[in-house]
Amino acid sequence: MTVKQTGICNVNTLQKPYPTLPEGTRIYATGDIHGRYDLLEVMGKAIESNLTKRPVADPASIFLSDYIDRGPDSRKVIEFFLNHHQRTPQQICLKGNHEASLLEFLENPSTLYHWEGLGGLETLSSYGLSEHNLFSSDGAASVQTLFKDTLPKSHKDFFKSL
């Protein structure tokens, strides 16, 4: 019986057992930030320090979604992304369910209650909406209007670009 017939791999013909990057490339991947600017800032400084100590020609930062909700500083997290290009030349941000929920809320106020379950109230608070705004009897449409008025265009553009 041959190796091909048994399905056993011949170690002499295998390529490297793991994917590789081109020479001079390094990827930093970060996910599930959830409004924790304090931790994101620590990660950003660690990346900067690593690049200073071990420079490479082509560094990239990949952020794996879920930037907002739950934590207290979603707005600061988005500001970090808008300014992060100065830290690593290439930045890739992926959209997750939290960012999708924010975008859905901007189009349809009735989705507030779903987004609330994901931690959306913390995001709204980080953009300056007060508890009075969030829990008044005016309803989700009122919250949506207030949020649209306080969400900077650059942040809205960021979310739409994901």
Side-chain angles (χ1 to χ4, degrees):
M1 187 174 286
T2 68
V3 169
K4 201 172 209 179
Q5 291 170 325
T6 62
I8 299 171
C9 294
N10 180 346
V11 293
N12 296 324
T13 62
L14 284 179
Q15 293 182 353
K16 291 182 180 178
Y18 49 87
T20 60
L21 294 170
E23 185 70 31
T25 300
R26 183 176 307 135
I27 295 176
Y28 299 94
T30 306
D32 292 301
I33 297 160
H34 289 292
R36 292 294 308 272
Y37 173 78
D38 56 335
L39 299 178
L40 180 61
E41 185 61 21
V42 169
M43 179 65 72
K45 288 178 181 176
I47 290 170
E48 288 174 3
S49 174
N50 184 262
L51 283 170
T52 299
K53 292 176 185 171
R54 298 178 43 228
V56 293
D58 190 23
S61 293
I62 300 176
F63 297 95
L64 305 171
S65 77
D66 294 351
Y67 315 123
I68 59 171
D69 300 339
R70 299 186 182 142
D73 293 317
S74 292
R75 182 180 183 135
K76 284 184 178 179
V77 167
I78 302 309
E79 288 292 332
F80 176 93
F81 289 129
L82 293 174
N83 298 311
H84 193 262
H85 64 277
Q86 299 166 356
R87 296 175 184 209
T88 54
Q90 186 174 343
Q91 173 178 291
I92 299 166
C93 294
L94 305 176
K95 177 171 46 176
N97 62 318
H98 294 266
E99 294 76 33
S101 291
L102 179 146
L103 290 169
E104 288 172 16
F105 175 65
L106 290 173
E107 298 300 319
N108 180 357
S110 70
T111 63
L112 174 62
Y113 307 106
H114 169 74
W115 188 28
E116 179 182 340
L118 296 175
L121 295 182
E122 289 86 344
T123 295
L124 293 167
S125 293
S126 79
Y127 281 93
L129 276 71
S130 69
E131 284 189 26
H132 173 73
N133 298 136
L134 297 174
F135 300 111
S136 73
S137 60
D138 295 338
S142 174
V143 175
Q144 181 198 50
T145 299
L146 288 168
F147 185 51
K148 283 182 174 182
D149 290 345
T150 61
L151 183 68
K153 183 181 181 324
S154 60
H155 291 216
K156 185 176 182 180
D157 292 344
F158 172 79
F159 288 117
K160 286 186 169 188
S161 75
L162 300 174

